[in-house]
Amino acid sequence: MNKSILKIMSAVILMGGLAACKQNPGENKTAESSTANTAEIVAEGNPEVLELTAAPMVPKPVLDRAAKKVIVNLETTEEEAEIDDGVKYKVWTFNHTVPGSFIRVRVGDEVQLNIKNAANSTLPHNIDLHAVNGPGGGAEATFVAPGKEASFTFKALNPGLYVYHCAAPPVPMHIANGMYGLILVEPEGGLPKVDREYYIMQGEYYIKGKYEEKGFHEFDLDKGIAENPDYVVFNGRKGSMLGPKVLEAKVGETVRLFVGNGGPNLTSSFHVIGEIFDKVYIEGGNKINENVQTTLIPAGGSAIVEFKVDVPGVYNIVDHSIFRVFNKGALAQLKVTGPENEKIFKKTK
């Protein structure tokens, strides 16, 4: 019964059933007008193959460049990886990493997205980019069997930070196995300059085994349906940004984190212990909130957070649904080096 429901839901999403819902006449005029000028921008020049990066790194900012034609190349793969020390699982990826490569474009860019499904894959894959205005976010145009390729072109109309993911059936399984990532559409003129930028994405693993149990584990559908993950991690595995892999900054620097939540189920209560977010781009959009302690990031959603580091030390990055830190792996760290600042923080005893 559960498997039948899952198949039906996946087929509906794949065929664009959700996209067929129409707005009422006159609805969302503001959104329409905000994209009108962008649609008129003519992207010039020969297509440029974009630099893509694996988490936690991000490509260089677009700055004040004009809109242009760009090419994004992605490959979908199915490969065994460690999601914890000694805990193995077959992840499904975009460009061999969980999360997939970070894509960085500018509003007005014409993006040609090429996708190839590795010949040794067992299932078809595709991509649904939440930054796309079009059927299925590109999912229908990019449905590729193992060993095949596809492409489509879209115009980046709305600035913001958007999730992308596989939307081939069964959709929840593809996402749970690691097929998600982020695409940033920078506004005209680019984002304000900061000293450090990093890419962090939360995700869940549902395994036929237990947390920290050694060996190879398969996907557990029943745990997925029950929304009871064994692991909740950042950037594809427990400890991905701990020890020698911690994020780094220096006292006085400004840090920008591009944060996404692949889900497929849980909402993230994203928090950096010992820091206050000076700015939060709410849900990855244009609205900015200030002086925020913890920000909610829904499954399939994102946020951009910025803060200045004033005091040296190690700062824990967590999902503040706190059992996920100690019992499921939702922990990363930012190491800040530099001189002490006793006017801001001082241990007295």
Side-chain angles (χ1 to χ4, degrees):
M1 178 66 176
N2 288 335
K3 292 183 179 180
S4 298
I5 293 172
L6 192 61
K7 289 179 180 178
I8 293 170
M9 180 176 66
S10 300
V12 169
I13 295 174
L14 178 65
M15 296 176 67
L18 297 180
C21 298
K22 294 182 179 179
Q23 296 177 334
N24 294 325
E27 187 179 13
N28 205 21
K29 288 183 179 179
T30 302
E32 290 175 4
S33 62
S34 69
T35 61
N37 292 337
T38 306
E40 294 170 3
I41 294 174
V42 177
E44 298 180 352
N46 295 322
E48 173 190 340
V49 177
L50 284 185
E51 170 200 12
L52 306 179
T53 58
M57 308 313 295
V58 298
K60 61 185 179 182
V62 301
L63 302 176
D64 59 353
R65 73 162 173 83
K68 62 183 178 181
K69 300 177 182 179
V70 297
I71 296 173
V72 173
N73 293 319
L74 296 174
E75 181 181 24
T76 59
T77 68
E78 302 168 11
E79 49 196 85
E80 187 176 300
E82 278 196 341
I83 61 173
D84 192 358
D85 292 340
V87 181
K88 297 181 179 180
Y89 184 81
K90 180 168 278 191
V91 296
W92 298 353
T93 83
F94 291 100
N95 285 353
H96 306 279
T97 65
V98 179
S101 298
F102 193 95
I103 304 170
R104 192 169 198 162
V105 301
R106 176 207 187 275
V107 68
D109 280 352
E110 292 177 13
V111 184
Q112 177 185 323
L113 190 141
N114 303 322
I115 187 167
K116 176 183 179 181
N117 191 358
N120 62 352
S121 293
T122 59
L123 289 174
H125 297 294
N126 65 6
I127 187 168
D128 166 7
L129 301 104
H130 293 183
V132 168
N133 292 276
E140 296 175 55
T142 58
F143 189 82
V144 281
K148 302 298 182 180
E149 301 179 22
S151 68
F152 80 108
T153 301
F154 69 93
K155 191 149 192 174
L157 295 178
N158 301 84
L161 181 65
Y162 300 95
V163 169
Y164 67 81
H165 60 85
C166 185
V171 180
M173 183 178 180
H174 284 248
I175 298 174
N177 284 348
M179 299 195 78
Y180 49 77
L182 290 178
I183 175 171
L184 173 67
V185 181
E186 291 205 44
E188 184 177 355
L191 291 172
K193 185 181 182 300
V194 294
D195 298 300
R196 307 266 182 167
E197 292 184 325
Y198 292 112
Y199 169 23
I200 298 176
M201 198 157 190
Q202 184 168 315
E204 306 146 25
Y205 288 116
Y206 301 84
I207 66 172
K208 290 187 176 179
K210 297 179 180 179
Y211 178 68
E212 295 185 333
E213 181 181 340
K214 308 295 184 186
F216 179 82
H217 301 281
E218 295 181 346
F219 171 71
D220 191 314
L221 176 60
D222 291 333
K223 288 181 180 178
I225 293 172
E227 301 186 5
N228 183 25
D230 301 277
Y231 282 88
V232 180
V233 298
F234 297 123
N235 290 355
R237 66 157 290 161
K238 179 185 173 184
S240 65
M241 291 170 283
L242 297 177
K245 300 177 182 177
V246 295
L247 306 183
E248 296 182 346
K250 296 179 181 180
V251 169
E253 289 186 330
T254 48
V255 178
R256 175 182 290 139
L257 303 179
F258 299 106
V259 189
N261 183 8
N265 289 317
L266 305 181
T267 295
S268 174
S269 301
F270 188 76
H271 178 76
V272 179
I273 299 174
E275 269 299 338
I276 298 167
F277 302 140
D278 299 323
K279 294 181 180 180
V280 174
Y281 294 71
I282 303 169
E283 297 180 357
N286 291 339
K287 281 188 175 281
I288 295 176
N289 201 356
E290 297 181 341
N291 303 322
V292 176
Q293 59 189 313
T294 301
T295 190
L296 289 176
I297 305 176
S302 67
I304 303 172
V305 303
E306 298 175 359
F307 53 94
K308 180 182 177 183
V309 285
D310 298 295
V311 179
V314 176
Y315 295 79
N316 290 322
I317 301 168
V318 302
D319 179 340
H320 213 297
S321 297
I322 209 72
F323 274 104
R324 299 174 190 171
V325 178
F326 299 100
N327 301 88
K328 295 181 184 288
L331 173 66
Q333 290 182 332
L334 171 69
K335 182 179 180 181
V336 179
T337 57
E340 297 286 346
N341 189 339
E342 293 188 351
K343 291 183 179 180
I344 293 178
F345 183 90
K346 181 181 180 181
K347 185 176 180 180
T348 55
K349 279 190 178 181

